[in-house]
Amino acid sequence: MSGLTHLDENGAARMVDVGGKAETARSATATGRIAMNADALAAIRDDTVPKGDVLAAARIAGIMAAKKTGELIPLCHPLALDSVSVECALEQDAVRVTAIASLTGKTGVEMEAMVACNIALLTIYDMAKALDKGMVIQQVRLLSKTGGKSGDWHAANDPDEGA
């Protein structure tokens, strides 16, 4: 079982001990999109969705979710985030969500960025499902992370280009 950080010497799940690690500035960026029909996209763009401002609700939901990542993902550390931003951009047939989480700490914030992105996308679905039940959440991925022992990482290519 050696080499697996979330398993002890007996193979039992454990939270990684980060107590001896140095605090460093860390950030992570995640993105994803929700494809939908033209009517749903127009209603979101024109702020005429019956449930209210879809993009504002998605931003707030994503930020709230990032703060609860340690409660949602087993073995994740609860983190004191310095910043979380969630941006929504209209595309030709979708809404793209980009979430950025950052802190100065002993462990990374990749999961917080990913959770923020996913919950923002799910919120868009929930708010607009009366207009298009066939919406598809897709291409959710980590774009980059900075800081920590392993240093910076950036996705090698972007499969979303031209999407």
Side-chain angles (χ1 to χ4, degrees):
M1 294 295 163
S2 67
L4 300 176
T5 59
H6 285 79
L7 299 178
D8 67 14
E9 60 279 353
N10 299 316
R14 67 177 176 104
M15 181 183 273
V16 174
D17 182 356
V18 297
K21 292 174 75 175
E23 288 194 354
T24 62
R26 299 162 182 264
S27 70
T29 303
T31 191
R33 64 193 305 265
I34 182 165
M36 63 190 68
N37 67 36
D39 290 340
L41 191 62
I44 290 170
R45 180 191 62 234
D46 299 338
D47 195 18
T48 58
V49 174
K51 285 190 173 184
D53 187 337
V54 172
L55 302 182
R59 283 190 294 273
I60 292 168
I63 292 165
M64 291 175 64
K67 296 180 344 180
K68 295 203 171 276
T69 299
E71 297 173 33
L72 299 170
I73 306 292
L75 310 180
C76 270
H77 292 83
L79 301 178
L81 297 168
D82 292 337
S83 175
V84 178
S85 67
V86 176
E87 297 300 325
C88 302
L90 300 178
E91 295 183 343
Q92 183 176 355
D93 65 344
V95 177
R96 172 162 308 279
V97 170
T98 302
I100 302 170
S102 64
L103 59 65
T104 299
K106 297 180 177 192
T107 189
V109 291
E110 296 91 342
M111 294 309 300
E112 286 71 15
M114 294 286 285
V115 167
C117 184
N118 276 288
I119 295 301
L121 290 163
L122 286 167
T123 299
I124 293 168
Y125 185 93
D126 181 55
M127 300 268 312
K129 67 187 175 205
L131 303 171
D132 182 3
K133 288 182 180 36
M135 290 179 282
V136 178
I137 294 173
Q138 53 192 195
Q139 300 169 339
V140 177
R141 65 192 298 235
L142 184 68
L143 287 180
S144 65
K145 67 79 108 191
T146 65
K149 182 178 170 183
S150 64
D152 296 354
W153 177 88
H154 301 278
N157 60 4
D158 187 353
D160 302 335
E161 285 183 3

